Amino acid sequence: MKHGSKIVLRGEAGCTEPGLQPGDVVLVLQQKEHDTFTRLPNPADLVFEKHISLREALCGCSFTVKHLDGRTIRISSSPGEVIKPNSFKVVPEEGMPVHTRPFIKGNLYIKFDVSGGLAVVACMPQAARWCVQAVGAGWHAALVLLHVRVSSMGVHAGSPLLLHSHAW
C-alpha cells in the first residue's frame, strides 16, 4: 500500500447508546523510511543498494540480504559477469506483497555501487573482460594497461600489460 492510503473498518467504531449505529474506523498509513530498503513507485517493488569493490564487479561476488520478514536471501553473480556501476539485478518475487493479493509479490532490485575503476567497467567492457582473465590467470593487479587502437570500426583493446602488482 502507498503512503496516505486509507483502510476503512466499517461499523467498528463502538457505540454505547441504544438505537445509534456504530461508526467507521479509518486508518491512514504513514510510510516510514527504512535503513536498508527503499520502495519504487510500484509499492510492491523494493530496492537494496549494495556497495562492491572493483574486484567484485569484475570477478563476481556473493552476499546475503536480510529481508523485512527475517529471511536471508543469497545474491550471487558468476565469475566473468561484469557488473557495471549503477546497474540493477532483479530478484523476482522477493519484494512486498501486492495489496489485495497477498500471495503475489513484487520484485527486489539490487542496485550496485562500484567503488573505483568506473571508467574501465562502464566505458570499456571488453577491457574489463581482459582484466577478469588476467585475475583468473593468477595476476593480482591494481593497475592494468591495455594497448588501445582506435579505428573507424571502433575501439579495440590489445593484450593487457601488467604495470603494478599487489594482492587485493
Side-chain angles (χ1 to χ4, degrees):
M1 296 184 77
K2 295 180 182 178
H3 179 76
S5 297
K6 293 182 180 181
I7 301 171
V8 179
L9 305 174
R10 304 223 179 268
E12 294 296 325
C15 184
T16 58
E17 298 198 27
L20 293 177
Q21 292 183 353
D24 299 337
V25 173
V26 179
L27 304 171
V28 180
L29 296 180
Q30 293 183 344
Q31 183 176 320
K32 286 176 47 178
E33 295 295 322
H34 193 269
D35 294 338
T36 307
F37 298 99
T38 54
R39 292 180 98 165
L40 291 175
N42 174 2
D45 292 336
L46 294 174
V47 176
F48 174 78
E49 284 197 35
K50 178 65 178 170
H51 301 282
I52 60 174
S53 66
L54 178 59
R55 180 178 189 210
E56 291 171 313
L58 296 175
C59 300
C61 62
S62 181
F63 57 93
T64 59
V65 176
K66 185 170 182 178
H67 206 289
L68 295 169
D69 61 5
R71 292 179 300 125
T72 301
I73 302 169
R74 174 161 298 284
I75 309 294
S76 301
S77 69
S78 57
E81 173 188 350
V82 176
I83 299 172
K84 295 180 182 176
N86 298 318
S87 64
F88 287 88
K89 182 179 183 95
V90 179
V91 184
E93 299 182 9
E94 287 296 345
M96 298 291 289
V98 176
H99 179 59
T100 69
R101 298 166 65 183
F103 297 108
I104 298 175
K105 292 184 177 180
N107 295 324
L108 173 62
Y109 293 90
I110 311 296
K111 181 182 179 189
F112 290 100
D113 177 26
V114 180
S115 58
L118 300 180
V120 172
V121 177
C123 301
M124 296 188 63
Q126 72 274 20
R129 281 193 290 278
W130 276 305
C131 290
V132 170
Q133 292 170 354
V135 171
W139 294 4
H140 296 286
L143 181 61
V144 174
L145 174 67
L146 298 172
H147 296 276
V148 178
R149 181 171 46 92
V150 179
S151 70
S152 60
M153 300 293 287
V155 177
H156 304 281
S159 303
L161 174 66
L162 182 63
L163 291 183
H164 179 72
S165 176
H166 77 285
W168 271 334

